[in-house]
Amino acid sequence: MADTMHSTTTGGPRHADANPVTRFFRATEIDTRLLGMIGALLIIWLGFHFLTGGLFLTPRNLWNLTVQTSSVAVMATGMVLVIVTRNIDLSVGSILGFTGMIMGVMQAQILPQLLGFNHPAIWIVALATGLLVGAMIGALQGSIIAFLGVPSFIVTLGGLLIWRGATWFVTSGQTVAPMNPTFRLMGGGTEGSIGATWSWIVGLVACLAIIAAIINARRQRKRFAFPRKPVWAEYVIGAISCLVVLGVVQVANSYYWPVAIARRYAEASGIDWPEGGLLISHGIAIPVLIAIGVGIVMTFIATRLRFGRYVFAIGGNPEAAELAGIKTRWVTVRIFALMGMLCAIAAAISTARLNAATNAQGELDELYTIAAAVIGGTSLSGGMGTIAGAMLGALVMQSLQSGMVLLGIDTPLQRIVVGAVLVLAVWLDTVYRARAK
């Protein structure tokens, strides 16, 4: 039986008649939709690089692009689960602003009086408080949706207004600053990066993890007599993945500290200033590592845990899921609680990057988060979506915004473009689903 199933995937008349490109995609099992998005991203990058006179595809801009994408990418991973269950969350930007303000007040006003200034536990307590508040807000909204039957659109639209107003009332509209020095590392910057050596270590560990994952997946398929990819396809996927990872590390290490900061560092460390200047690599930014870590955890939750299977079952057919014994209401509550926690993580990144908590923080982030999920292949009809696609969608959205800023395009026109891209993405999803049927 195993031999029969294996031969079905690696050969057969239907595969022999297909053209080489089709056979390649069938053998490697690459998601063509995700590949199309990568192609669109490359076109956007090359187009902006040409229009900006070579400014876009520079290590500095690409490094900043990844940092700017981090907070929306974190929230987009949760938005996938929300949309998959045929719900929506319009309050993520306001929850980000509210939890960011709570963490800011904890660091700048409350905890220093209780623990003393620069106490090592300040940032931990502040972050934990923000995560708890975010989870409670999400659970509250999820409970109203699940147990009171109020549509998620209305509940989260109300949340958008309520939590934005609550943000103002926390400090009567005042900006809170500065943040704890350790907390600020989560925002990136010169100190919020891991440097060249650790970046290469992270890259090599990532490559080993990719190879181990491919080997484990192949063993699991063999164990359960599932069809396996050809060995050459595994090699191709592993090689491409590792090259991408090492390429990202190389770009991050090619962005060096500004001269003024490097000079101050040399003076403080007693290092003689060389004739060509002191080149110190930023390396991978900490917020990027946080976003990648969140993406890995959320992928594991969505694809490996029973909770993730329940989420997609509810999205595919809510009535059948409930008849199958799935507690759909509690799953909904947990999804929104998880979304609230992810908003708090994004708030920590955003607040640390600004070194301040402001009332305008997170405005319009709900638009970018939903757009990232939809562009990444999450269907508004439910039942379909990937975490990796949503994070790539966040990168696409931020690339558009960053490129338009470099071109000097006014903010109103930027919003017009983003709105048009969102509508286009939903239309393409509708066409894709119609053809799939």
Side-chain angles (χ1 to χ4, degrees):
M1 179 65 179
D3 292 336
T4 304
M5 293 180 70
H6 181 62
S7 63
T8 305
T9 54
T10 56
R14 188 167 65 91
H15 284 211
D17 294 340
N19 61 63
V21 176
T22 303
R23 290 202 301 270
F24 173 81
F25 284 121
R26 284 175 179 166
T28 55
E29 298 180 8
I30 295 176
D31 187 348
T32 53
R33 227 175 152 185
L34 197 63
L35 190 64
M37 199 187 317
I38 293 173
L41 179 63
L42 293 176
I43 292 173
I44 291 171
W45 283 6
L46 292 173
F48 278 128
H49 189 67
F50 173 76
L51 294 173
T52 58
L55 294 177
F56 193 87
L57 292 178
T58 58
R60 176 183 179 181
N61 187 64
L62 291 177
W63 190 90
N64 287 323
L65 180 63
T66 58
V67 173
Q68 293 163 359
T69 304
S70 299
S71 61
V72 172
V74 167
M75 293 191 292
T77 62
M79 189 61 72
V80 171
L81 302 187
V82 172
I83 296 178
V84 160
T85 55
R86 306 185 183 186
N87 288 300
I88 199 73
D89 193 341
L90 301 176
S91 65
V92 291
S94 296
I95 296 175
L96 184 153
F98 183 70
T99 54
M101 184 62 74
I102 293 294
M103 287 186 280
V105 170
M106 291 290 290
Q107 293 175 72
Q109 298 177 7
I110 298 175
L111 292 178
Q113 296 179 3
L114 298 176
L115 303 176
F117 287 96
N118 295 327
H119 191 281
I122 285 180
W123 75 274
I124 299 175
V125 176
L127 180 61
T129 303
L131 292 173
L132 179 61
V133 171
M136 290 174 62
I137 292 173
L140 173 62
Q141 295 186 159
S143 298
I144 296 172
I145 294 165
F147 293 101
L148 299 184
V150 183
S152 59
F153 180 89
I154 299 300
V155 173
T156 57
L157 179 60
L160 181 152
L161 301 172
I162 292 169
W163 305 118
R164 182 60 62 189
T167 303
W168 190 92
F169 276 109
V170 171
T171 59
S172 298
Q174 296 178 355
T175 296
V176 177
M179 298 296 103
N180 179 268
T182 307
F183 184 85
R184 287 203 302 267
L185 298 180
M186 289 188 288
T190 302
E191 296 181 352
S193 305
I194 62 175
T197 302
W198 279 106
S199 294
W200 284 119
I201 292 174
V202 169
L204 292 175
V205 170
C207 290
L208 292 175
I210 290 170
I211 295 171
I214 291 174
I215 294 174
N216 180 66
R218 190 170 183 83
R219 285 178 178 173
Q220 291 297 321
R221 287 191 174 202
K222 182 179 180 181
R223 177 186 173 188
F224 294 103
F226 287 169
R228 282 168 283 162
K229 302 174 188 175
V231 176
W232 66 264
E234 305 279 22
Y235 281 125
V236 169
I237 293 173
I240 293 175
S241 301
C242 291
L243 285 174
V244 170
V245 169
L246 296 178
V248 170
V249 173
Q250 177 59 39
V251 171
N253 287 339
S254 299
Y255 177 39
Y256 302 108
W257 287 14
V259 176
I261 297 177
R263 189 180 293 275
R264 286 199 300 269
Y265 172 79
E267 292 174 354
S269 305
I271 301 174
D272 293 331
W273 187 258
E275 184 177 347
L278 190 62
L279 300 179
I280 304 175
S281 298
H282 279 81
I284 303 174
I286 290 176
V288 176
L289 292 176
I290 294 174
I292 293 173
V294 169
I296 293 172
V297 171
M298 291 297 292
T299 300
F300 180 80
I301 291 174
T303 59
R304 298 294 182 181
L305 296 185
R306 185 182 301 174
F307 173 75
R309 293 195 293 271
Y310 287 171
V311 168
F312 282 88
I314 293 171
N317 191 325
E319 292 78 12
E322 192 162 1
L323 290 173
I326 298 175
K327 297 179 180 178
T328 56
R329 293 180 178 180
W330 283 110
V331 172
T332 301
V333 174
R334 290 170 186 168
I335 290 171
F336 278 90
L338 180 59
M339 185 74 250
M341 290 185 66
L342 293 172
C343 290
I345 295 174
I349 294 173
S350 177
T351 306
R353 186 163 174 263
L354 293 172
N355 192 24
T358 68
N359 291 282
Q361 200 171 336
E363 284 188 352
L364 291 182
D365 274 10
E366 54 277 345
L367 168 64
Y368 291 104
T369 303
I370 294 170
V374 174
I375 290 173
T378 305
S379 175
L380 290 171
S381 301
M384 182 186 301
T386 62
I387 303 299
M391 298 186 75
L392 190 58
L395 185 58
V396 170
M397 295 298 298
Q398 190 58 50
S399 297
L400 287 171
Q401 189 175 14
S402 177
M404 288 187 289
V405 169
L406 289 176
L407 289 173
I409 296 176
D410 294 334
T411 301
L413 185 55
Q414 293 181 30
R415 295 179 178 179
I416 291 173
V417 172
V418 170
V421 169
L422 177 58
V423 173
L424 177 63
V426 174
W427 175 72
L428 290 175
D429 173 70
T430 303
V431 172
Y432 178 83
R433 289 178 67 87
R435 289 184 177 180
K437 291 180 182 179

